[in-house]
Amino acid sequence: MTDHKAKLTIGPNKPAIDLNILDGTLGPSVIDVTGLQKQGYFTYDPGFMSTAACESKITYIDGDKGVLLYRGYPIEQLAEQSDFLEVCYLLLNGELPTAAQKNQFNKTINNHTLAHEQIRSFFNGFRRDAHPMAVMVGVVGALAAFYHDSLDINNPEHRTTAAFRLIAKMPTLAAMCYKYSIGQPFMYPQNHMGYAENFLNMMFSTPAEKTSPNPVLTRAMDRIFTLHADHEQNASTSTVRLAGSTGANPFACISAGIAALWGPAHGGANEAALNMLREIGSEDRIDHFIKRAKDPNDNFRLMGFGHRVYKNYDPRAKVMRTTCHEVLDEVGLHDSPLFRIALKLEKIALEDDYFIQKKLYPNVDFYSGITLSALGIPPAMFTVIFAIARTVGWISHWNEMISSPDYRIGRPRQLYTGPTERNFVPIDDRK
Ligand code: SDX
């Protein structure tokens, strides 16, 4: 990083404060305010709209140009030419694997796909209609109770083993959530299958009947994983980093990330987008919902539209849209009412002044919800699938932070506007 200076002038009788400006390889420079608290000031930035919370080499986003790079590689090229496990290797290690490295990595992940048999009994404690994200928060966090040999966060080998276990076991645990919710027996992973194929098999096969996942749908599932693998310092990744900064074990940190992802403003948007399309129900009701979305007194928002960073098209949405069409063609749902509503909603929103001025474009969640529905996956499982994919991003950021020599516990401060100091009033004296 190169640096140059900024001068902060607070007031006529106060000395200006020199602040370093640091330049990265891409994107905005940052003003280093680490020393400001010693001068008696905090910065104020609720929502972190203007805050770089860390330095990272993993993912770069340009919201105005609609650019998303994983370790420098454009998401469009990775989605088209790579596969999810190769992207996992890239995010974890910083470089694309050689053929031998890729083969070894896939084998290693496959060695960790089974969940400890006793984890199966966890599920019996949940109601069958429990939201699968509630189950995943619980079960993933509980992995720390089983894998004591990968909890020492200062041991690089423990960190690597924990990363492999989490990437490998998320599909197994996710499929167990689904099977439990429909009262079917759990399916074991089949290590001769690819990552996405294995997941779809665990979701839709039964001991009584093996389904051979359709290659077009399997490729679409793998691409959905790639598109959702990482996204810089989003809310759930920032949650994982903050949890990790306390020294919490990786399973607890990923469980915290799953909890944060669940929100409808974040990873829960794909489920919310599909439920919204179902609520709209017919094309002639779209205008009513667009009006509601534009009404400042109505907190209804068009789920699957808008983004904190992308004020241009979400590059993932372009790829997701193509994948969505491929899947709908393959399963013969292109003329489904739901998709017709989605297409019309997309068209109206892209032409509506409100959405154009506020730069609200369809994001990845708008199309992933429809695609996952066409794959036969119930809406409650959509965010679980997002969590499967984002686990590699979360654990890569966690590892980047823990392996950097100067990381410290995250502890933001505040602008206090509460009561000034006052004395306690005994209850008999209170009015
Ligand atoms: C993800 O951060 C990431 O990287 C996240 C993610 C990832 O991969 O990790 O990309 C995944 O979370 C994608 C986003 C999924 N969320 C949704 O689709 C939910 C619907 N979208 C909104 O809730 C909203 O757009 C956010 C939360 C995504 C972004 O919110 P911001 O950046 O805080 O923007 P904002 O709420 O300040 O909105 C700006 C204006 C507001 O109007 P004004 O107050 O200026 O008058 O746009 C309006 C909002 O009311 N607005 C919308 C809208 N989104 C914003 N109006 C109608 N419908 C919407 N969807």
Side-chain angles (χ1 to χ4, degrees), residues 113-127 130-147 151 165-166 169-178 180 186 249-256 258-259 262 384 391:
T113 51
L114 276 173
H116 192 292
E117 276 299 289
Q118 285 174 238
I119 284 180
R120 301 162 72 88
S121 55
F122 265 84
F123 287 80
N124 295 327
F126 291 100
R127 286 173 39 156
H131 194 290
M133 284 296 276
V135 180
M136 287 298 279
V137 167
V139 171
V140 172
L143 292 176
F146 291 84
Y147 297 111
L151 294 180
R165 281 182 165 137
L166 282 157
K169 294 180 198 312
M170 285 294 281
T172 307
L173 298 173
M176 289 168 81
C177 289
Y178 174 61
Y180 184 73
F186 298 142
N249 72 72
F251 305 105
C253 295
I254 298 302
S255 173
I258 294 171
W262 195 358
V384 175
T391 292

Short mmCIF file of all heavy atoms in Angstrom, two decimals, residues 113-127 130-147 151 165-166 169-178 180 186 249-256 258-259 262 384 391:
data_model
loop_
_atom_site.label_atom_id
_atom_site.label_comp_id
_atom_site.label_asym_id
_atom_site.label_seq_id
_atom_site.Cartn_x
_atom_site.Cartn_y
_atom_site.Cartn_z
N THR A 113 -17.15 -35.39 3.87
CA THR A 113 -18.58 -35.11 3.59
C THR A 113 -19.52 -35.73 4.64
O THR A 113 -20.62 -35.24 4.85
CB THR A 113 -18.98 -35.69 2.21
OG1 THR A 113 -18.57 -37.06 2.16
CG2 THR A 113 -18.34 -34.90 1.08
N LEU A 114 -19.10 -36.78 5.31
CA LEU A 114 -20.00 -37.42 6.29
C LEU A 114 -20.12 -36.55 7.53
O LEU A 114 -19.15 -35.94 7.98
CB LEU A 114 -19.43 -38.79 6.70
CG LEU A 114 -19.75 -39.97 5.79
CD1 LEU A 114 -18.97 -41.20 6.26
CD2 LEU A 114 -21.25 -40.27 5.78
N ALA A 115 -21.31 -36.52 8.12
CA ALA A 115 -21.50 -35.86 9.42
C ALA A 115 -21.37 -36.94 10.50
O ALA A 115 -21.74 -38.09 10.28
CB ALA A 115 -22.88 -35.22 9.49
N HIS A 116 -20.85 -36.58 11.66
CA HIS A 116 -20.75 -37.52 12.78
C HIS A 116 -22.13 -38.13 13.03
O HIS A 116 -23.14 -37.42 13.06
CB HIS A 116 -20.26 -36.77 14.01
CG HIS A 116 -19.83 -37.66 15.14
ND1 HIS A 116 -20.72 -38.44 15.85
CD2 HIS A 116 -18.61 -37.91 15.67
CE1 HIS A 116 -20.06 -39.11 16.78
NE2 HIS A 116 -18.77 -38.82 16.69
N GLU A 117 -22.17 -39.43 13.21
CA GLU A 117 -23.47 -40.13 13.34
C GLU A 117 -24.32 -39.53 14.47
O GLU A 117 -25.54 -39.47 14.38
CB GLU A 117 -23.26 -41.62 13.60
CG GLU A 117 -23.05 -42.44 12.32
CD GLU A 117 -24.24 -42.38 11.37
OE1 GLU A 117 -25.30 -42.96 11.68
OE2 GLU A 117 -24.12 -41.71 10.32
N GLN A 118 -23.68 -39.07 15.53
CA GLN A 118 -24.49 -38.56 16.65
C GLN A 118 -25.16 -37.23 16.31
O GLN A 118 -26.11 -36.83 16.96
CB GLN A 118 -23.61 -38.41 17.91
CG GLN A 118 -23.31 -39.75 18.56
CD GLN A 118 -22.34 -39.62 19.72
OE1 GLN A 118 -21.29 -40.24 19.71
NE2 GLN A 118 -22.70 -38.80 20.68
N ILE A 119 -24.68 -36.57 15.26
CA ILE A 119 -25.32 -35.29 14.88
C ILE A 119 -26.73 -35.57 14.36
O ILE A 119 -27.65 -34.77 14.50
CB ILE A 119 -24.47 -34.56 13.82
CG1 ILE A 119 -23.25 -33.93 14.50
CG2 ILE A 119 -25.27 -33.48 13.08
CD1 ILE A 119 -22.33 -33.19 13.57
N ARG A 120 -26.92 -36.78 13.85
CA ARG A 120 -28.25 -37.13 13.32
C ARG A 120 -29.30 -37.01 14.42
O ARG A 120 -30.42 -36.60 14.17
CB ARG A 120 -28.21 -38.55 12.74
CG ARG A 120 -27.19 -38.69 11.61
CD ARG A 120 -26.85 -40.16 11.36
NE ARG A 120 -27.94 -40.87 10.73
CZ ARG A 120 -28.11 -40.95 9.41
NH1 ARG A 120 -27.26 -40.36 8.60
NH2 ARG A 120 -29.13 -41.59 8.88
N SER A 121 -28.89 -37.32 15.66
CA SER A 121 -29.93 -37.28 16.72
C SER A 121 -30.27 -35.83 17.09
O SER A 121 -31.32 -35.56 17.66
CB SER A 121 -29.44 -38.05 17.95
OG SER A 121 -28.20 -37.53 18.37
N PHE A 122 -29.43 -34.87 16.75
CA PHE A 122 -29.77 -33.45 16.99
C PHE A 122 -31.12 -33.13 16.36
O PHE A 122 -31.93 -32.41 16.91
CB PHE A 122 -28.73 -32.53 16.32
CG PHE A 122 -27.64 -32.10 17.22
CD1 PHE A 122 -26.54 -32.91 17.41
CD2 PHE A 122 -27.69 -30.89 17.86
CE1 PHE A 122 -25.50 -32.50 18.25
CE2 PHE A 122 -26.66 -30.47 18.70
CZ PHE A 122 -25.55 -31.29 18.89
N PHE A 123 -31.31 -33.67 15.16
CA PHE A 123 -32.49 -33.25 14.38
C PHE A 123 -33.78 -33.64 15.10
O PHE A 123 -34.76 -32.91 15.03
CB PHE A 123 -32.41 -33.86 12.98
CG PHE A 123 -31.38 -33.20 12.11
CD1 PHE A 123 -30.03 -33.54 12.23
CD2 PHE A 123 -31.73 -32.20 11.23
CE1 PHE A 123 -29.06 -32.90 11.46
CE2 PHE A 123 -30.78 -31.57 10.43
CZ PHE A 123 -29.45 -31.91 10.56
N ASN A 124 -33.74 -34.76 15.83
CA ASN A 124 -34.98 -35.20 16.50
C ASN A 124 -35.47 -34.20 17.53
O ASN A 124 -36.62 -34.21 17.91
CB ASN A 124 -34.74 -36.55 17.17
CG ASN A 124 -34.45 -37.62 16.12
OD1 ASN A 124 -34.99 -37.53 15.01
ND2 ASN A 124 -33.57 -38.55 16.44
N GLY A 125 -34.58 -33.28 17.95
CA GLY A 125 -35.01 -32.28 18.93
C GLY A 125 -35.81 -31.16 18.31
O GLY A 125 -36.45 -30.37 18.99
N PHE A 126 -35.81 -31.08 16.98
CA PHE A 126 -36.53 -29.98 16.31
C PHE A 126 -37.91 -30.43 15.86
O PHE A 126 -38.12 -31.59 15.57
CB PHE A 126 -35.73 -29.50 15.08
CG PHE A 126 -34.44 -28.80 15.41
CD1 PHE A 126 -33.23 -29.47 15.33
CD2 PHE A 126 -34.45 -27.47 15.82
CE1 PHE A 126 -32.04 -28.83 15.64
CE2 PHE A 126 -33.27 -26.82 16.13
CZ PHE A 126 -32.07 -27.49 16.04
N ARG A 127 -38.84 -29.48 15.77
CA ARG A 127 -40.14 -29.77 15.14
C ARG A 127 -39.88 -30.00 13.65
O ARG A 127 -38.94 -29.46 13.09
CB ARG A 127 -41.07 -28.57 15.31
CG ARG A 127 -41.61 -28.41 16.71
CD ARG A 127 -42.38 -27.14 16.90
NE ARG A 127 -43.22 -26.78 15.76
CZ ARG A 127 -44.30 -25.99 15.89
NH1 ARG A 127 -44.64 -25.53 17.07
NH2 ARG A 127 -45.01 -25.67 14.84
N ALA A 130 -39.71 -26.82 11.70
CA ALA A 130 -38.71 -25.79 12.07
C ALA A 130 -38.12 -25.20 10.79
O ALA A 130 -37.92 -25.92 9.80
CB ALA A 130 -37.60 -26.43 12.89
N HIS A 131 -37.84 -23.88 10.78
CA HIS A 131 -37.22 -23.30 9.59
C HIS A 131 -35.80 -23.90 9.48
O HIS A 131 -35.06 -23.91 10.48
CB HIS A 131 -37.15 -21.78 9.68
CG HIS A 131 -36.84 -21.13 8.37
ND1 HIS A 131 -35.59 -21.24 7.77
CD2 HIS A 131 -37.60 -20.43 7.51
CE1 HIS A 131 -35.61 -20.60 6.62
NE2 HIS A 131 -36.80 -20.11 6.43
N PRO A 132 -35.40 -24.38 8.32
CA PRO A 132 -34.09 -25.03 8.21
C PRO A 132 -32.92 -24.14 8.60
O PRO A 132 -31.88 -24.63 9.02
CB PRO A 132 -34.02 -25.46 6.75
CG PRO A 132 -35.11 -24.76 6.04
CD PRO A 132 -36.14 -24.43 7.05
N MET A 133 -33.10 -22.82 8.49
CA MET A 133 -32.00 -21.93 8.92
C MET A 133 -31.85 -21.98 10.44
O MET A 133 -30.74 -21.90 10.96
CB MET A 133 -32.25 -20.50 8.44
CG MET A 133 -31.98 -20.30 6.96
SD MET A 133 -30.24 -20.57 6.54
CE MET A 133 -29.56 -18.95 6.93
N ALA A 134 -32.95 -22.15 11.15
CA ALA A 134 -32.87 -22.29 12.62
C ALA A 134 -32.11 -23.56 12.96
O ALA A 134 -31.28 -23.59 13.88
CB ALA A 134 -34.27 -22.32 13.21
N VAL A 135 -32.36 -24.62 12.19
CA VAL A 135 -31.67 -25.89 12.44
C VAL A 135 -30.19 -25.75 12.11
O VAL A 135 -29.31 -26.16 12.88
CB VAL A 135 -32.31 -27.01 11.59
CG1 VAL A 135 -31.61 -28.34 11.83
CG2 VAL A 135 -33.81 -27.13 11.90
N MET A 136 -29.89 -25.10 10.98
CA MET A 136 -28.49 -24.97 10.55
C MET A 136 -27.67 -24.15 11.54
O MET A 136 -26.53 -24.49 11.86
CB MET A 136 -28.42 -24.31 9.16
CG MET A 136 -28.85 -25.20 8.03
SD MET A 136 -27.84 -26.67 7.82
CE MET A 136 -26.47 -26.00 6.93
N VAL A 137 -28.27 -23.07 12.08
CA VAL A 137 -27.55 -22.27 13.08
C VAL A 137 -27.15 -23.16 14.24
O VAL A 137 -26.01 -23.14 14.72
CB VAL A 137 -28.44 -21.09 13.57
CG1 VAL A 137 -27.86 -20.45 14.82
CG2 VAL A 137 -28.62 -20.05 12.49
N GLY A 138 -28.09 -24.03 14.65
CA GLY A 138 -27.84 -24.91 15.80
C GLY A 138 -26.85 -26.01 15.49
O GLY A 138 -25.86 -26.22 16.21
N VAL A 139 -27.06 -26.69 14.38
CA VAL A 139 -26.26 -27.88 14.09
C VAL A 139 -24.83 -27.50 13.69
O VAL A 139 -23.87 -28.15 14.10
CB VAL A 139 -26.95 -28.70 12.96
CG1 VAL A 139 -26.07 -29.82 12.48
CG2 VAL A 139 -28.27 -29.27 13.47
N VAL A 140 -24.67 -26.41 12.93
CA VAL A 140 -23.31 -26.02 12.51
C VAL A 140 -22.50 -25.56 13.72
O VAL A 140 -21.35 -25.94 13.91
CB VAL A 140 -23.35 -24.95 11.41
CG1 VAL A 140 -21.95 -24.40 11.12
CG2 VAL A 140 -23.95 -25.52 10.13
N GLY A 141 -23.15 -24.80 14.59
CA GLY A 141 -22.46 -24.38 15.81
C GLY A 141 -22.06 -25.58 16.66
O GLY A 141 -20.99 -25.62 17.28
N ALA A 142 -22.91 -26.62 16.64
CA ALA A 142 -22.66 -27.81 17.47
C ALA A 142 -21.51 -28.65 16.93
O ALA A 142 -20.99 -29.52 17.64
CB ALA A 142 -23.93 -28.65 17.54
N LEU A 143 -21.07 -28.40 15.69
CA LEU A 143 -19.92 -29.16 15.16
C LEU A 143 -18.71 -28.98 16.07
O LEU A 143 -17.85 -29.86 16.18
CB LEU A 143 -19.58 -28.72 13.74
CG LEU A 143 -20.60 -29.06 12.64
CD1 LEU A 143 -20.16 -28.47 11.29
CD2 LEU A 143 -20.80 -30.56 12.51
N ALA A 144 -18.66 -27.84 16.78
CA ALA A 144 -17.53 -27.59 17.69
C ALA A 144 -17.51 -28.61 18.83
O ALA A 144 -16.48 -28.83 19.46
CB ALA A 144 -17.64 -26.18 18.26
N ALA A 145 -18.66 -29.25 19.08
CA ALA A 145 -18.74 -30.25 20.15
C ALA A 145 -18.17 -31.58 19.68
O ALA A 145 -17.98 -32.50 20.49
CB ALA A 145 -20.20 -30.41 20.58
N PHE A 146 -17.90 -31.70 18.39
CA PHE A 146 -17.45 -32.99 17.86
C PHE A 146 -16.01 -32.95 17.40
O PHE A 146 -15.27 -33.90 17.52
CB PHE A 146 -18.34 -33.41 16.68
CG PHE A 146 -19.73 -33.77 17.09
CD1 PHE A 146 -20.69 -32.79 17.25
CD2 PHE A 146 -20.07 -35.08 17.35
CE1 PHE A 146 -21.99 -33.10 17.64
CE2 PHE A 146 -21.36 -35.41 17.74
CZ PHE A 146 -22.32 -34.43 17.89
N TYR A 147 -15.60 -31.82 16.86
CA TYR A 147 -14.30 -31.81 16.18
C TYR A 147 -13.28 -31.04 17.02
O TYR A 147 -12.86 -29.95 16.67
CB TYR A 147 -14.46 -31.23 14.78
CG TYR A 147 -15.38 -32.08 13.94
CD1 TYR A 147 -16.64 -31.63 13.56
CD2 TYR A 147 -15.03 -33.40 13.60
CE1 TYR A 147 -17.51 -32.44 12.83
CE2 TYR A 147 -15.89 -34.21 12.89
CZ TYR A 147 -17.14 -33.73 12.50
OH TYR A 147 -18.00 -34.54 11.80
N LEU A 151 -9.87 -27.02 16.56
CA LEU A 151 -10.43 -25.84 17.25
C LEU A 151 -9.35 -24.83 17.63
O LEU A 151 -9.67 -23.73 18.04
CB LEU A 151 -11.18 -26.26 18.52
CG LEU A 151 -12.46 -27.09 18.34
CD1 LEU A 151 -13.08 -27.40 19.70
CD2 LEU A 151 -13.47 -26.37 17.46
N ARG A 165 -13.70 -29.30 6.61
CA ARG A 165 -14.89 -29.94 7.22
C ARG A 165 -16.14 -29.11 6.95
O ARG A 165 -17.18 -29.64 6.56
CB ARG A 165 -14.69 -30.07 8.74
CG ARG A 165 -13.81 -31.22 9.12
CD ARG A 165 -13.65 -31.39 10.61
NE ARG A 165 -13.11 -32.70 10.91
CZ ARG A 165 -12.15 -32.91 11.80
NH1 ARG A 165 -11.66 -31.89 12.49
NH2 ARG A 165 -11.70 -34.13 12.03
N LEU A 166 -16.03 -27.80 7.09
CA LEU A 166 -17.22 -26.96 6.91
C LEU A 166 -17.69 -26.97 5.46
O LEU A 166 -18.87 -27.16 5.17
CB LEU A 166 -16.91 -25.53 7.38
CG LEU A 166 -16.93 -25.36 8.90
CD1 LEU A 166 -16.09 -24.16 9.33
CD2 LEU A 166 -18.36 -25.23 9.41
N LYS A 169 -19.19 -30.50 4.78
CA LYS A 169 -20.36 -30.98 5.52
C LYS A 169 -21.61 -30.12 5.35
O LYS A 169 -22.72 -30.58 5.60
CB LYS A 169 -20.03 -31.11 7.02
CG LYS A 169 -19.01 -32.19 7.31
CD LYS A 169 -18.71 -32.30 8.78
CE LYS A 169 -17.42 -33.02 9.06
NZ LYS A 169 -17.21 -34.27 8.34
N MET A 170 -21.46 -28.90 4.89
CA MET A 170 -22.64 -28.04 4.75
C MET A 170 -23.71 -28.68 3.86
O MET A 170 -24.90 -28.69 4.21
CB MET A 170 -22.24 -26.65 4.25
CG MET A 170 -21.59 -25.76 5.28
SD MET A 170 -22.69 -25.29 6.63
CE MET A 170 -23.64 -23.98 5.85
N PRO A 171 -23.36 -29.22 2.68
CA PRO A 171 -24.42 -29.85 1.85
C PRO A 171 -25.08 -31.04 2.56
O PRO A 171 -26.29 -31.23 2.48
CB PRO A 171 -23.67 -30.31 0.60
CG PRO A 171 -22.42 -29.51 0.55
CD PRO A 171 -22.06 -29.24 1.97
N THR A 172 -24.28 -31.81 3.28
CA THR A 172 -24.82 -32.99 3.99
C THR A 172 -25.82 -32.55 5.06
O THR A 172 -26.93 -33.05 5.14
CB THR A 172 -23.65 -33.78 4.64
OG1 THR A 172 -22.66 -34.05 3.65
CG2 THR A 172 -24.15 -35.06 5.28
N LEU A 173 -25.43 -31.55 5.85
CA LEU A 173 -26.32 -31.05 6.92
C LEU A 173 -27.55 -30.36 6.32
O LEU A 173 -28.67 -30.51 6.82
CB LEU A 173 -25.54 -30.08 7.83
CG LEU A 173 -24.35 -30.67 8.56
CD1 LEU A 173 -23.56 -29.57 9.28
CD2 LEU A 173 -24.80 -31.74 9.56
N ALA A 174 -27.35 -29.63 5.22
CA ALA A 174 -28.48 -28.93 4.59
C ALA A 174 -29.51 -29.94 4.07
O ALA A 174 -30.72 -29.80 4.31
CB ALA A 174 -27.98 -28.06 3.44
N ALA A 175 -29.01 -30.98 3.42
CA ALA A 175 -29.93 -32.00 2.89
C ALA A 175 -30.64 -32.72 4.04
O ALA A 175 -31.83 -33.06 3.95
CB ALA A 175 -29.17 -33.00 2.02
N MET A 176 -29.93 -32.89 5.18
CA MET A 176 -30.56 -33.53 6.35
C MET A 176 -31.71 -32.65 6.86
O MET A 176 -32.77 -33.15 7.23
CB MET A 176 -29.52 -33.76 7.45
CG MET A 176 -28.51 -34.86 7.12
SD MET A 176 -27.10 -34.87 8.25
CE MET A 176 -27.81 -35.76 9.65
N CYS A 177 -31.52 -31.32 6.83
CA CYS A 177 -32.61 -30.41 7.25
C CYS A 177 -33.84 -30.65 6.38
O CYS A 177 -34.96 -30.74 6.88
CB CYS A 177 -32.17 -28.95 7.06
SG CYS A 177 -30.94 -28.39 8.22
N TYR A 178 -33.61 -30.74 5.07
CA TYR A 178 -34.76 -30.91 4.16
C TYR A 178 -35.43 -32.26 4.38
O TYR A 178 -36.65 -32.34 4.54
CB TYR A 178 -34.29 -30.79 2.71
CG TYR A 178 -35.38 -31.08 1.70
CD1 TYR A 178 -36.54 -30.31 1.66
CD2 TYR A 178 -35.27 -32.14 0.81
CE1 TYR A 178 -37.56 -30.56 0.76
CE2 TYR A 178 -36.28 -32.43 -0.09
CZ TYR A 178 -37.42 -31.63 -0.11
OH TYR A 178 -38.42 -31.92 -1.00
N TYR A 180 -35.42 -34.12 6.97
CA TYR A 180 -36.12 -34.16 8.28
C TYR A 180 -37.47 -33.44 8.17
O TYR A 180 -38.49 -33.88 8.70
CB TYR A 180 -35.25 -33.50 9.35
CG TYR A 180 -35.85 -33.57 10.73
CD1 TYR A 180 -35.87 -34.78 11.43
CD2 TYR A 180 -36.46 -32.47 11.32
CE1 TYR A 180 -36.44 -34.89 12.69
CE2 TYR A 180 -37.04 -32.56 12.57
CZ TYR A 180 -37.03 -33.76 13.26
OH TYR A 180 -37.61 -33.85 14.49
N PHE A 186 -32.55 -39.71 6.08
CA PHE A 186 -31.38 -38.98 5.58
C PHE A 186 -30.68 -39.84 4.52
O PHE A 186 -30.71 -41.07 4.59
CB PHE A 186 -30.39 -38.71 6.73
CG PHE A 186 -30.95 -37.85 7.83
CD1 PHE A 186 -30.64 -38.12 9.16
CD2 PHE A 186 -31.78 -36.78 7.56
CE1 PHE A 186 -31.15 -37.34 10.19
CE2 PHE A 186 -32.29 -35.98 8.58
CZ PHE A 186 -31.98 -36.26 9.90
N ASN A 249 -14.21 -20.29 18.01
CA ASN A 249 -13.80 -21.35 17.09
C ASN A 249 -14.52 -21.20 15.76
O ASN A 249 -15.58 -20.56 15.67
CB ASN A 249 -14.06 -22.72 17.71
CG ASN A 249 -15.54 -23.05 17.77
OD1 ASN A 249 -16.18 -23.32 16.75
ND2 ASN A 249 -16.09 -22.99 18.96
N PRO A 250 -13.99 -21.76 14.67
CA PRO A 250 -14.55 -21.53 13.34
C PRO A 250 -16.00 -21.99 13.18
O PRO A 250 -16.76 -21.37 12.47
CB PRO A 250 -13.62 -22.32 12.42
CG PRO A 250 -12.86 -23.24 13.30
CD PRO A 250 -12.81 -22.60 14.65
N PHE A 251 -16.38 -23.05 13.88
CA PHE A 251 -17.76 -23.55 13.77
C PHE A 251 -18.74 -22.53 14.37
O PHE A 251 -19.81 -22.25 13.82
CB PHE A 251 -17.90 -24.92 14.44
CG PHE A 251 -16.90 -25.93 13.90
CD1 PHE A 251 -15.78 -26.29 14.63
CD2 PHE A 251 -17.06 -26.46 12.62
CE1 PHE A 251 -14.86 -27.19 14.13
CE2 PHE A 251 -16.14 -27.36 12.11
CZ PHE A 251 -15.03 -27.72 12.85
N ALA A 252 -18.35 -21.95 15.50
CA ALA A 252 -19.19 -20.91 16.13
C ALA A 252 -19.28 -19.69 15.22
O ALA A 252 -20.35 -19.09 15.06
CB ALA A 252 -18.60 -20.53 17.48
N CYS A 253 -18.18 -19.34 14.58
CA CYS A 253 -18.16 -18.15 13.69
C CYS A 253 -19.05 -18.36 12.48
O CYS A 253 -19.79 -17.46 12.08
CB CYS A 253 -16.74 -17.84 13.26
SG CYS A 253 -15.68 -17.36 14.62
N ILE A 254 -18.99 -19.55 11.90
CA ILE A 254 -19.82 -19.82 10.71
C ILE A 254 -21.29 -19.87 11.13
O ILE A 254 -22.17 -19.40 10.41
CB ILE A 254 -19.39 -21.12 10.02
CG1 ILE A 254 -17.93 -20.99 9.53
CG2 ILE A 254 -20.31 -21.49 8.86
CD1 ILE A 254 -17.66 -19.86 8.58
N SER A 255 -21.57 -20.39 12.30
CA SER A 255 -22.95 -20.40 12.80
C SER A 255 -23.45 -18.96 12.94
O SER A 255 -24.59 -18.64 12.58
CB SER A 255 -23.01 -21.11 14.16
OG SER A 255 -24.29 -21.00 14.72
N ALA A 256 -22.61 -18.05 13.40
CA ALA A 256 -22.99 -16.63 13.50
C ALA A 256 -23.24 -16.05 12.11
O ALA A 256 -24.19 -15.28 11.90
CB ALA A 256 -21.88 -15.85 14.21
N ILE A 258 -24.31 -17.73 9.53
CA ILE A 258 -25.60 -18.28 9.05
C ILE A 258 -26.75 -17.47 9.64
O ILE A 258 -27.71 -17.11 8.96
CB ILE A 258 -25.71 -19.77 9.44
CG1 ILE A 258 -24.66 -20.60 8.69
CG2 ILE A 258 -27.10 -20.31 9.14
CD1 ILE A 258 -24.55 -22.05 9.16
N ALA A 259 -26.62 -17.14 10.92
CA ALA A 259 -27.68 -16.35 11.59
C ALA A 259 -27.84 -15.00 10.90
O ALA A 259 -28.95 -14.56 10.62
CB ALA A 259 -27.34 -16.18 13.07
N TRP A 262 -29.56 -15.00 7.41
CA TRP A 262 -30.99 -15.36 7.42
C TRP A 262 -31.89 -14.15 7.16
O TRP A 262 -32.99 -14.28 6.63
CB TRP A 262 -31.31 -15.99 8.79
CG TRP A 262 -32.61 -16.74 8.89
CD1 TRP A 262 -33.57 -16.90 7.92
CD2 TRP A 262 -33.08 -17.44 10.05
NE1 TRP A 262 -34.61 -17.66 8.41
CE2 TRP A 262 -34.35 -17.99 9.72
CE3 TRP A 262 -32.58 -17.64 11.32
CZ2 TRP A 262 -35.10 -18.74 10.62
CZ3 TRP A 262 -33.33 -18.38 12.23
CH2 TRP A 262 -34.57 -18.93 11.88
N VAL A 384 -30.57 -21.55 2.96
CA VAL A 384 -29.65 -22.62 3.37
C VAL A 384 -28.66 -22.89 2.25
O VAL A 384 -27.46 -23.06 2.48
CB VAL A 384 -30.44 -23.91 3.72
CG1 VAL A 384 -29.49 -25.06 4.04
CG2 VAL A 384 -31.38 -23.66 4.89
N THR A 391 -20.19 -20.39 2.75
CA THR A 391 -19.29 -20.92 3.79
C THR A 391 -17.84 -20.77 3.38
O THR A 391 -16.99 -20.37 4.19
CB THR A 391 -19.64 -22.38 4.11
OG1 THR A 391 -20.92 -22.40 4.75
CG2 THR A 391 -18.61 -23.03 5.01
#
